PDB file of all heavy atoms in Angstrom:
ATOM      1  N   ASN A 624      37.300  37.359  38.795  1.00  0.00           N
ATOM      2  CA  ASN A 624      37.327  37.116  37.364  1.00  0.00           C
ATOM      3  C   ASN A 624      37.586  35.636  37.091  1.00  0.00           C
ATOM      4  O   ASN A 624      38.554  35.071  37.605  1.00  0.00           O
ATOM      5  CB  ASN A 624      38.421  37.950  36.694  1.00  0.00           C
ATOM      6  CG  ASN A 624      38.200  39.432  36.876  1.00  0.00           C
ATOM      7  OD1 ASN A 624      37.065  39.896  36.953  1.00  0.00           O
ATOM      8  ND2 ASN A 624      39.285  40.182  36.949  1.00  0.00           N
ATOM      9  N   LYS A 625      36.723  35.034  36.315  1.00  0.00           N
ATOM     10  CA  LYS A 625      36.941  33.635  35.959  1.00  0.00           C
ATOM     11  C   LYS A 625      36.162  33.276  34.707  1.00  0.00           C
ATOM     12  O   LYS A 625      35.176  33.926  34.361  1.00  0.00           O
ATOM     13  CB  LYS A 625      36.563  32.705  37.112  1.00  0.00           C
ATOM     14  CG  LYS A 625      35.087  32.669  37.457  1.00  0.00           C
ATOM     15  CD  LYS A 625      34.833  31.684  38.599  1.00  0.00           C
ATOM     16  CE  LYS A 625      33.371  31.599  38.978  1.00  0.00           C
ATOM     17  NZ  LYS A 625      33.128  30.651  40.081  1.00  0.00           N
ATOM     18  N   MET A 626      36.632  32.226  34.044  1.00  0.00           N
ATOM     19  CA  MET A 626      35.967  31.652  32.886  1.00  0.00           C
ATOM     20  C   MET A 626      35.308  30.351  33.319  1.00  0.00           C
ATOM     21  O   MET A 626      35.816  29.638  34.193  1.00  0.00           O
ATOM     22  CB  MET A 626      36.968  31.396  31.763  1.00  0.00           C
ATOM     23  CG  MET A 626      37.784  32.607  31.343  1.00  0.00           C
ATOM     24  SD  MET A 626      36.803  33.847  30.478  1.00  0.00           S
ATOM     25  CE  MET A 626      36.472  32.979  28.934  1.00  0.00           C
ATOM     26  N   THR A 627      34.182  30.029  32.712  1.00  0.00           N
ATOM     27  CA  THR A 627      33.471  28.808  33.058  1.00  0.00           C
ATOM     28  C   THR A 627      33.122  28.030  31.792  1.00  0.00           C
ATOM     29  O   THR A 627      33.099  28.575  30.686  1.00  0.00           O
ATOM     30  CB  THR A 627      32.175  29.113  33.832  1.00  0.00           C
ATOM     31  OG1 THR A 627      31.263  29.820  32.966  1.00  0.00           O
ATOM     32  CG2 THR A 627      32.461  29.956  35.065  1.00  0.00           C
ATOM     33  N   ALA A 628      32.811  26.759  31.978  1.00  0.00           N
ATOM     34  CA  ALA A 628      32.406  25.906  30.862  1.00  0.00           C
ATOM     35  C   ALA A 628      31.629  24.722  31.414  1.00  0.00           C
ATOM     36  O   ALA A 628      31.714  24.395  32.607  1.00  0.00           O
ATOM     37  CB  ALA A 628      33.622  25.421  30.073  1.00  0.00           C
ATOM     38  N   GLY A 629      30.874  24.083  30.547  1.00  0.00           N
ATOM     39  CA  GLY A 629      30.103  22.929  30.975  1.00  0.00           C
ATOM     40  C   GLY A 629      29.386  22.277  29.808  1.00  0.00           C
ATOM     41  O   GLY A 629      29.486  22.723  28.661  1.00  0.00           O
ATOM     42  N   PHE A 630      28.667  21.223  30.116  1.00  0.00           N
ATOM     43  CA  PHE A 630      27.902  20.522  29.085  1.00  0.00           C
ATOM     44  C   PHE A 630      26.711  19.851  29.742  1.00  0.00           C
ATOM     45  O   PHE A 630      26.624  19.724  30.979  1.00  0.00           O
ATOM     46  CB  PHE A 630      28.768  19.481  28.371  1.00  0.00           C
ATOM     47  CG  PHE A 630      29.217  18.337  29.254  1.00  0.00           C
ATOM     48  CD1 PHE A 630      28.424  17.211  29.426  1.00  0.00           C
ATOM     49  CD2 PHE A 630      30.433  18.399  29.909  1.00  0.00           C
ATOM     50  CE1 PHE A 630      28.833  16.167  30.246  1.00  0.00           C
ATOM     51  CE2 PHE A 630      30.855  17.362  30.734  1.00  0.00           C
ATOM     52  CZ  PHE A 630      30.044  16.242  30.902  1.00  0.00           C
ATOM     53  N   GLY A 631      25.780  19.423  28.923  1.00  0.00           N
ATOM     54  CA  GLY A 631      24.622  18.700  29.409  1.00  0.00           C
ATOM     55  C   GLY A 631      24.113  17.729  28.358  1.00  0.00           C
ATOM     56  O   GLY A 631      24.270  17.971  27.149  1.00  0.00           O
ATOM     57  N   TYR A 632      23.537  16.640  28.812  1.00  0.00           N
ATOM     58  CA  TYR A 632      22.941  15.663  27.891  1.00  0.00           C
ATOM     59  C   TYR A 632      21.589  15.233  28.454  1.00  0.00           C
ATOM     60  O   TYR A 632      21.475  14.871  29.622  1.00  0.00           O
ATOM     61  CB  TYR A 632      23.830  14.449  27.707  1.00  0.00           C
ATOM     62  CG  TYR A 632      23.257  13.472  26.703  1.00  0.00           C
ATOM     63  CD1 TYR A 632      23.285  13.750  25.327  1.00  0.00           C
ATOM     64  CD2 TYR A 632      22.669  12.281  27.122  1.00  0.00           C
ATOM     65  CE1 TYR A 632      22.739  12.878  24.406  1.00  0.00           C
ATOM     66  CE2 TYR A 632      22.127  11.399  26.204  1.00  0.00           C
ATOM     67  CZ  TYR A 632      22.158  11.697  24.849  1.00  0.00           C
ATOM     68  OH  TYR A 632      21.610  10.839  23.932  1.00  0.00           O
ATOM     69  N   ASN A 633      20.567  15.329  27.623  1.00  0.00           N
ATOM     70  CA  ASN A 633      19.208  14.962  28.021  1.00  0.00           C
ATOM     71  C   ASN A 633      18.652  13.924  27.065  1.00  0.00           C
ATOM     72  O   ASN A 633      18.748  14.068  25.842  1.00  0.00           O
ATOM     73  CB  ASN A 633      18.298  16.196  28.003  1.00  0.00           C
ATOM     74  CG  ASN A 633      18.690  17.229  29.032  1.00  0.00           C
ATOM     75  OD1 ASN A 633      18.217  17.191  30.162  1.00  0.00           O
ATOM     76  ND2 ASN A 633      19.560  18.160  28.658  1.00  0.00           N
ATOM     77  N   ALA A 634      18.084  12.880  27.646  1.00  0.00           N
ATOM     78  CA  ALA A 634      17.456  11.831  26.837  1.00  0.00           C
ATOM     79  C   ALA A 634      16.362  11.176  27.659  1.00  0.00           C
ATOM     80  O   ALA A 634      16.551  10.888  28.851  1.00  0.00           O
ATOM     81  CB  ALA A 634      18.480  10.783  26.406  1.00  0.00           C
ATOM     82  N   ALA A 635      15.223  10.968  27.041  1.00  0.00           N
ATOM     83  CA  ALA A 635      14.071  10.290  27.671  1.00  0.00           C
ATOM     84  C   ALA A 635      13.691  10.944  28.990  1.00  0.00           C
ATOM     85  O   ALA A 635      13.328  10.256  29.967  1.00  0.00           O
ATOM     86  CB  ALA A 635      14.392   8.811  27.879  1.00  0.00           C
ATOM     87  N   GLY A 636      13.778  12.271  29.046  1.00  0.00           N
ATOM     88  CA  GLY A 636      13.352  12.987  30.235  1.00  0.00           C
ATOM     89  C   GLY A 636      14.345  13.014  31.370  1.00  0.00           C
ATOM     90  O   GLY A 636      14.049  13.522  32.453  1.00  0.00           O
ATOM     91  N   VAL A 637      15.551  12.483  31.159  1.00  0.00           N
ATOM     92  CA  VAL A 637      16.588  12.462  32.190  1.00  0.00           C
ATOM     93  C   VAL A 637      17.796  13.250  31.678  1.00  0.00           C
ATOM     94  O   VAL A 637      18.245  13.039  30.538  1.00  0.00           O
ATOM     95  CB  VAL A 637      17.022  11.024  32.537  1.00  0.00           C
ATOM     96  CG1 VAL A 637      18.143  11.037  33.584  1.00  0.00           C
ATOM     97  CG2 VAL A 637      15.823  10.241  33.059  1.00  0.00           C
TER      98      VAL A 637
END
Side-chain angles (χ1 to χ4, degrees):
N624 299 328
K625 67 179 180 180
M626 305 290 290
T627 66
F630 66 87
Y632 183 74
N633 295 270
V637 178

